[in-house]
Amino acid sequence: MAVADRLVRTDVVTIGETLAVLSGQATGPFRPMASLYLSSAGAESNVAIGLSRLGHRASWIGRLGDDELGRVVLAQLRAEGIDVRSARVDAETQTSLLLKERRTADLTRVIYYRRGLAGSRLCPADVDEEVIRGARVLHVTGITPALSPQAHAAVLKAVEVAQAAGVTISLDVNYRATLWSAAGASTCLSPLAEMADLVFASAGELALLDASAVEDPLTAAKTLAGLRRGRQVVVKQGSRGAFAVVDGAVERHAGLVVRAVDPVGAGDAFVAGYLSALIEDLPPAERLRRGCVAGAFVVATDGDWEGFPRRSELDLLALGEEATLR
Ligand code: KDG
C-alpha cells in the first residue's frame, strides 16, 4: 500500500452519517408501550468500530446535532475507541434517527428520519484533510452521497484529498433503495467507483456500475478491477460468502454457517475484516476469511455492530454450534 513516505496517524478514516437507532426488542410491529433499545449506527462508523475492535486505529468524520441523541452517538463511538475529533456538532439541526422493527423473525424493516438532519448537512468544509492525508485507507459508502448534494460533495472531496495524497480509497456501494433511485445511484456512484482502489458490492449493487453484472457478476467484477491498476473488487454474497478479484486472480470464501439472529451490519463487519487483513498485508484468501468471520459474528448477534468480534475472538466460531466456553 502507498504509505511508505507519509506520516501515518490513523489506519482507516471513514466519513458519513451516523444515526441514533431505536430497535424494537420484541418480534412484531411497533405498538404502544413497546420496549425499544437505544443505540447508534451508520455504515461508515460501523466499519470504523469493526476495525477498532480488531486493534486498528480508526477515525470518523461526520455531523451530529447538538442534542441528546448526538451525545449518545459520540459516547458510543468514543467507547469503541474511535477518534471523533473531526466530528462536527451542528446546533441548527438534530441528529438523524433510524427505527429498526423486527417485523417477523426473518424480516427487519428500517425506517429513516434523516432528510435535512445533521448527517445530510455534512459539507466539504467538514472534511478534515489532515486526518485523511494521515490515513492508510479512506473508507466511504454509497449511502452518504444519497443524502444531499452537499453530503455527496463532502464525500467526493474526501476521495479527492485521499487520491492526491496516495491514500487507499475503499468504497462500499451499499445501495439503499429508500434513499434514491437506482438510476440516481448509478450516475453518482460510478465516478466514485472509478476513483476507488477497492470496491465492495453485492452482485446487485455491481449492476449499478455495470449492467452486465446482473447476468455475470464475476466478469463484471473482473472488468471493473481491470479498469484501474491494482484495484480490488470484492463481491459480497451474504450467507454464500464472497469472492474477490485481486491482481487479475479470483479468490473465494464460501462463508460460515451460523444461526441468523440479525443480519443488518454484516456487510460492514465483512468490510472491516477485509480491510483489517489488507492493512496487515495478508493475502486475499485471508482478507476474505477475516471478512466472512466478522460478518458471521454480526449475523449471529443482535445489533448493527454490537456483535463485531475482537481480535481474540476471531477463532471462536470454529468451535461450532452451541459451544460453551468454560
Ligand atoms: O450496514 C448497516 C447500516 O445500514 C446501518 O447500520 C445504518 O447506515 C445505515 C443505513 O443507512 O441503513
Side-chain angles (χ1 to χ4, degrees):
M1 298 178 72
V3 292
D5 51 4
R6 295 187 299 107
L7 178 59
V8 172
R9 296 187 193 87
T10 189
D11 293 316
V12 177
V13 56
T14 68
I15 176 168
E17 181 173 49
T18 300
L19 314 89
V21 176
L22 284 173
S23 327
Q25 289 297 80
T27 302
F30 284 132
R31 57 196 174 279
M33 313 299 286
S35 292
L36 299 174
Y37 167 81
L38 174 61
S39 185
S40 65
E44 299 87 355
S45 58
N46 293 348
V47 170
I49 292 173
L51 283 153
S52 178
R53 291 247 177 130
L54 292 172
H56 304 282
R57 291 166 298 172
S59 309
W60 175 72
I61 302 172
R63 219 178 235 248
L64 298 163
D66 185 11
D67 50 23
E68 287 314 312
L69 294 182
R71 286 184 269 284
V72 166
V73 172
L74 272 184
Q76 281 198 320
L77 293 179
R78 281 201 186 102
E80 289 295 329
I82 309 304
D83 180 351
V84 290
R85 282 174 295 177
S86 310
R88 297 270 174 280
V89 173
D90 185 338
E92 318 249 296
T93 188
Q94 291 163 315
T95 300
S96 324
L97 176 67
L98 179 162
L99 296 184
K100 197 170 161 193
E101 181 192 50
R102 194 188 303 263
R103 187 62 186 81
T104 71
D106 298 317
L107 175 72
T108 300
R109 192 154 55 179
V110 169
I111 303 150
Y112 296 128
Y113 297 82
R114 52 203 314 179
R115 193 164 303 139
L117 300 181
S120 64
R121 284 159 57 97
L122 188 71
C123 70
D126 295 341
V127 174
D128 185 334
E129 297 187 31
E130 205 181 323
V131 81
I132 293 175
R133 289 195 196 99
R136 288 173 199 270
V137 177
L138 166 72
H139 178 70
V140 299
T141 82
I143 298 176
T144 301
L147 301 177
S148 68
Q150 69 188 69
H152 176 208
V155 172
L156 198 56
K157 178 175 172 187
V159 168
E160 285 166 355
V161 170
Q163 192 175 49
V167 173
T168 298
I169 299 161
S170 161
L171 167 73
D172 188 347
V173 174
N174 257 343
Y175 175 58
R176 297 286 181 269
T178 52
L179 296 180
W180 53 356
S181 67
S186 170
T187 307
C188 169
L189 298 180
S190 296
L192 276 179
E194 269 170 38
M195 295 166 85
D197 303 293
L198 251 159
V199 177
F200 295 94
S202 65
E205 290 168 342
L206 207 53
L208 293 173
L209 308 176
D210 173 354
S212 72
V214 177
E215 303 295 328
D216 184 359
L218 178 57
T219 305
K222 283 181 179 167
T223 305
L224 183 62
L227 293 177
R228 186 185 177 92
R229 209 166 141 254
R231 179 186 286 147
Q232 306 176 36
V233 176
V234 187
V235 179
K236 298 185 268 184
Q237 299 177 296
S239 59
R240 290 179 293 117
F243 68 84
V245 181
V246 182
D247 297 330
V250 180
E251 194 70 52
R252 291 179 185 276
H253 192 288
L256 284 87
V257 179
V258 288
R259 193 181 310 168
V261 173
D262 175 7
V264 180
D268 302 332
F270 174 86
V271 170
Y274 191 98
L275 291 178
S276 159
L278 178 77
I279 289 166
E280 290 170 21
D281 270 331
L282 298 175
E286 183 55 23
R287 297 173 206 167
L288 286 173
R289 194 190 73 82
R290 196 173 286 181
C292 287
V293 167
F297 264 97
V298 173
V299 169
T301 43
D302 276 313
D304 293 16
W305 54 267
E306 284 84 337
F308 284 9
R310 298 187 189 285
R311 180 165 292 257
S312 59
E313 295 175 320
L314 282 173
D315 293 328
L316 280 187
L317 296 180
L319 295 175
E321 279 177 47
E322 304 197 3
T324 304
L325 285 177
R326 295 181 215 271

